[in-house]
Amino acid sequence: MKHRITTHQHLAVAGMALAFTITAPAWAASESLLYVKPPETAAAVLAPSGQRLALIVSNPQSRQALSVMDVPLNRPPRILQSYAEANVLQASWINDQRLVVRVAVTGPEVPLDGVALIAIDQDGGNERLLTSWRAWTHIPGTHMKSRVLTYGWDLLSTVEDGSADILVKERGGQDKQRLGRLDTLTGELRRLGDDVTFRAVQWVFDRAGDMPALRVRQQGRDRIVVKDSEASEWRTVWERPTADPDMPSPLALENGHELLVATRSGGDTEGLFVLDTRNGRLDPEPVLRVARYDVGPALVDRQTGKAVGASLVTDRPTSVWFSERLATAQRDLDAALPGRFNQIRCTACETSRFLVVHSSSDREAGEFLLYDTEQKKLVQIGRERPGIDPATQGRRTLHWITARDKLALPVVVTHPAGVSEKAALPTVVLVHDGPWERGSDRRWHAEAQFLAARGWRVLQPEFRGSTGFGRRHLEGGAGKLGEAALDDLADAVAWAAGQGLTDPQRVCIAGTGFGGTAALLAPVRSPGVYRCAAAMAPFTDLRTLDEETWFATSAKAPPRPFQELLGDAAARSAASPIVHAKAMKWPILLAGGDLDHQASPRDLDRLEEAATQAGAAVERIHYDEAHGFTSPANHADFLDRLAAFIDRALKP
């Protein structure tokens, strides 16, 4: 990848109501591709002063490019980073003049220099490569060392002190993690911290980049430690075993001693509480706690360091504002955009005249708008998927049902557009990856809407082990994922049939990753419930799976120890599709990447052979991919093949 600026490229202005348009992608249009190609506008981030806007947009090669435009939006944006074979994944303002950008070459495997952090001024000057996908810093043929950091280093946070510095962290295990303050103009790295900070797993930074509070982990214990001043020593204000589910996570320090933390505090759902660092006491009265849903994260004003609100996902993304200014803005936006899920995105939240708003719904994938708080005016920046007409998309509803053991389960249903919601339709159960992830809510969902557009009702159960719904729901499947979670899926089908939504004789199940594993196991666990099963990149043999492989692509540590969650050897064997291959007599679609290092293609081949010998009709698809899709064309191809497979299997 060449780290060069593409200059003199401008996007056409289309009036104040629509800030700009993007050139259509080079590839041929197809319906499935509209659902999975990169968004035409993927991000919009205001500079600290609110006078500039950084955008991630789709370029003519349908790669993600970086552009900057002035606020108000009366001039066309400037393209700063644009590549034919790489995507700009993230952009953050370092100060009002300078950005730090994460870039990655597209493809299933990362080539040399294929992932990088780059700093660049808003006018295109002073571009500097900060990190690169290399394991060394020496310059070949010399005795010199480059200041470009190796792939182990990544962006941790920006610093709100007006400097050109950022905070970086060396990625690796949680035994020790090195931190540094990096000058993005010179590439000079200053190491931060001591033996205590090296063992931190969570940090609270003030606007100057100092660390007044940490959560550290050592020898099976977690501690919250604080510094009363830069010259003082760390002192412990809270300590618990690492596996304690009530261990607080520090979020922000206010008034010198009020540490805002996220914790369950003996309850079921996670809420926000205040920990007094003077005496180590947790206020029993929560700042915010909600029944059924975990709260988090806190929304912090980067200029003041104070929490101005909190976000959570109920049936939709929701913001609860502690700031009256932002609460008023939220009310105004919701009145101006009724029926939408309107999220304010800000850094200098209390002082900026302008706010970025992401507005979406169950039928609208999303659009970015700029809100002028003084003139009470909204201007559209760009839509994510302008090629999809919201009128053609299905309504999405969330329902709480009761599982066979009385646990409350959320289920999201996508109803095909133009079809009666009282009609019993052929149905697809779409299982999310994880298991320790949040699956879905009422926001527009690409795969669910794609399938619903073909006339199928789509069920997305939040089976136990899903995150965001409290401790009982999260831990309900621990050690028995091959049983309880699969029963949840069958209970969702039974509920939908009882409500007259689903034809119980015409149900197929599909999923990716763990969702694919569950899709393969579900017909074995619940005979007669499903006509067919489709799996993309499933784990087919959990007996050989280790923690490093399972969480290789996860950005979040598991909430419980790996062995405890998956169970003992007998439980892992029972949850392995390969063990049950001889029982598989139904149509199976089995897809995976030939470069997948998590879900082994050899294991998929073994399952294909064993299930075929047992009498199953197996359709096997190979992709030049790793774990998941990096190519939109491959993803679209899979959706087309999945739809054709389901159509054949569910014919009356």
Side-chain angles (χ1 to χ4, degrees):
M1 180 178 64
K2 294 182 178 180
H3 308 288
R4 298 187 181 276
I5 309 167
T6 303
T7 57
H8 307 301
Q9 297 185 29
H10 297 284
L11 305 178
V13 174
M16 288 302 295
L18 179 62
F20 58 86
T21 59
I22 306 299
T23 304
W27 53 45
S30 75
E31 187 176 0
S32 56
L33 199 55
L34 291 175
Y35 287 82
V36 297
K37 68 178 183 177
E40 292 200 9
T41 304
V45 186
L46 272 171
S49 68
Q51 296 178 353
R52 293 188 180 88
L53 192 65
L55 306 172
I56 297 179
V57 297
S58 186
N59 68 14
Q61 292 80 30
S62 287
R63 307 301 183 204
Q64 301 296 84
L66 173 70
S67 68
V68 172
M69 63 191 312
D70 297 325
V71 176
L73 310 181
N74 50 17
R75 287 192 294 178
R78 305 176 294 279
I79 295 291
L80 296 188
Q81 298 276 340
S82 185
Y83 307 94
E85 296 297 335
N87 287 320
V88 173
L89 303 180
Q90 179 188 3
S92 302
W93 288 95
I94 302 171
N95 54 44
D96 230 37
Q97 297 293 325
R98 193 157 176 79
L99 297 115
V100 58
V101 183
R102 178 178 285 107
V103 179
V105 172
T106 58
E109 293 190 321
V110 180
L112 201 64
D113 293 332
V115 175
L117 281 181
I118 300 168
I120 188 171
D121 287 351
Q122 59 86 22
D123 61 1
N126 291 321
E127 184 182 20
R128 186 175 188 92
L129 182 63
L130 304 176
T131 71
S132 180
W133 194 258
R134 288 178 179 266
W136 61 87
T137 58
H138 71 270
I139 300 174
T142 75
H143 295 288
M144 300 170 60
K145 283 190 176 182
S146 167
R147 280 189 168 178
V148 177
L149 299 177
T150 61
Y151 65 82
W153 291 90
D154 198 7
L155 175 68
L156 180 61
S157 176
T158 54
V159 181
E160 308 300 325
D161 63 354
S163 72
D165 295 352
I166 59 173
L167 301 178
V168 292
K169 176 176 75 75
E170 189 175 32
R171 291 176 291 188
Q174 291 187 343
D175 180 38
K176 279 194 174 184
Q177 303 191 65
R178 293 189 298 174
L179 305 181
R181 182 169 177 136
L182 180 64
D183 186 326
T184 66
L185 289 171
T186 66
E188 180 181 359
L189 176 69
R190 179 165 59 90
R191 298 291 172 87
L192 297 178
D194 49 28
D195 188 61
V196 175
T197 57
F198 290 164
R199 298 183 185 279
V201 293
Q202 290 175 318
W203 305 264
V204 172
F205 294 102
D206 61 22
R207 65 187 308 269
D210 295 325
M211 295 174 281
L214 305 169
R215 177 178 174 178
V216 298
R217 179 168 297 164
Q218 188 175 15
Q219 297 179 341
R221 305 286 291 181
D222 273 24
R223 293 181 294 141
I224 292 180
V225 298
V226 299
K227 269 191 175 185
D228 298 315
S229 68
E230 186 63 26
S232 63
E233 298 293 325
W234 292 106
R235 61 183 179 88
T236 300
V237 297
W238 194 276
E239 183 173 3
R240 292 291 189 278
T242 295
D244 188 335
D246 290 339
M247 182 67 199
S249 297
L251 303 174
L253 183 65
E254 299 183 10
N255 303 321
H257 64 274
E258 295 178 345
L259 184 63
L260 186 68
V261 299
T263 177
R264 301 192 189 283
S265 187
D268 185 57
T269 58
E270 189 165 86
L272 301 184
F273 292 77
V274 172
L275 176 65
D276 191 327
T277 62
R278 296 171 300 185
N279 53 32
R281 293 177 183 172
L282 189 72
D283 191 333
E285 186 67 25
V287 175
L288 178 65
R289 195 172 205 165
V290 178
R292 284 187 168 176
Y293 300 99
D294 293 329
V295 174
L299 302 172
V300 178
D301 188 309
R302 297 299 304 275
Q303 292 293 311
T304 65
K306 293 185 177 181
V308 292
S311 64
L312 66 154
V313 180
T314 57
D315 69 326
R316 67 187 72 187
T318 303
S319 299
V320 179
W321 297 108
F322 310 146
S323 158
E324 183 55 38
R325 176 179 190 262
L326 294 167
T328 299
Q330 186 73 59
R331 288 192 295 269
D332 292 344
L333 289 166
D334 291 341
L337 301 165
R340 292 287 197 97
F341 315 145
N342 303 308
Q343 298 173 272
I344 296 173
R345 299 182 178 178
C346 56
T347 51
C349 303
E350 290 281 47
T351 56
S352 177
R353 170 182 168 180
F354 297 97
L355 301 171
V356 170
V357 180
H358 184 266
S359 182
S360 63
S361 73
D362 52 350
R363 297 178 177 180
E364 167 61 53
E367 63 178 329
F368 291 90
L369 304 108
L370 192 66
Y371 181 54
D372 186 332
T373 60
E374 293 182 5
Q375 297 186 9
K376 307 291 186 183
K377 180 181 178 182
L378 275 168
V379 177
Q380 187 188 60
I381 299 169
R383 289 179 63 199
E384 291 187 27
R385 301 189 182 276
I388 296 180
D389 182 358
T392 66
Q393 302 299 281
R395 194 168 76 94
R396 285 168 60 81
T397 56
L398 184 142
H399 309 264
W400 283 87
I401 71 171
T402 303
R404 63 190 68 184
D405 63 355
K406 308 306 180 185
L407 181 72
L409 293 173
V411 179
V412 178
V413 182
T414 306
H415 310 273
V419 178
S420 171
E421 294 183 14
K422 298 184 180 297
L425 298 180
T427 295
V428 180
V429 179
L430 198 56
V431 192
H432 73 75
D433 199 358
W436 307 292
E437 295 180 5
R438 175 71 183 262
S440 188
D441 53 67
R442 287 186 53 223
R443 279 173 290 186
W444 185 89
H445 188 280
E447 288 81 3
Q449 289 287 9
F450 173 81
L451 295 170
R454 275 130 195 87
W456 302 310
R457 207 176 303 277
V458 180
L459 307 181
Q460 293 174 279
E462 293 291 329
F463 53 86
R464 67 195 69 201
S466 302
T467 58
F469 302 103
R471 179 189 298 167
R472 286 192 298 271
H473 196 280
L474 175 67
E475 299 182 354
K480 50 186 178 180
L481 291 173
E483 301 174 2
L486 299 179
D487 290 343
D488 292 344
L489 303 178
D491 290 347
V493 175
W495 167 83
Q499 296 293 310
L501 300 173
T502 289
D503 178 351
Q505 304 304 314
R506 302 172 68 192
V507 180
C508 190
I509 186 167
T512 297
F514 173 79
T517 303
L520 293 170
L521 288 170
V524 178
R525 176 74 178 175
S526 305
V529 173
Y530 311 96
R531 269 203 198 180
C532 63
M536 169 63 195
F539 299 93
T540 59
D541 194 346
L542 272 62
R543 297 171 300 180
T544 60
L545 196 62
D546 58 43
E547 184 168 3
E548 182 179 356
T549 300
W550 184 271
F551 294 107
T553 58
S554 175
K556 186 177 181 181
R560 295 275 295 275
F562 179 74
Q563 297 292 343
E564 185 179 348
L565 280 162
L566 283 187
D568 57 19
R572 294 171 74 174
S573 178
S576 297
I578 189 67
V579 173
H580 305 281
K582 291 183 179 179
M584 298 178 180
K585 309 293 184 182
W586 40 85
I588 297 172
L589 179 66
L590 194 60
D594 288 341
L595 303 174
D596 194 337
H597 300 296
Q598 279 83 48
S600 166
R602 292 187 298 275
D603 285 348
L604 269 64
D605 292 341
R606 289 170 52 215
L607 180 66
E608 176 192 11
E609 181 180 359
T612 300
Q613 290 178 355
V618 181
E619 181 178 337
R620 178 79 162 92
I621 311 174
H622 295 261
Y623 288 106
D624 185 22
E625 295 277 9
H627 193 62
F629 291 110
T630 59
S631 163
N634 284 344
H635 196 172
D637 177 81
F638 175 71
L639 289 183
D640 289 335
R641 290 173 183 268
L642 175 64
F645 169 78
I646 295 172
D647 186 58
R648 291 193 299 270
L650 295 187
K651 283 190 180 296

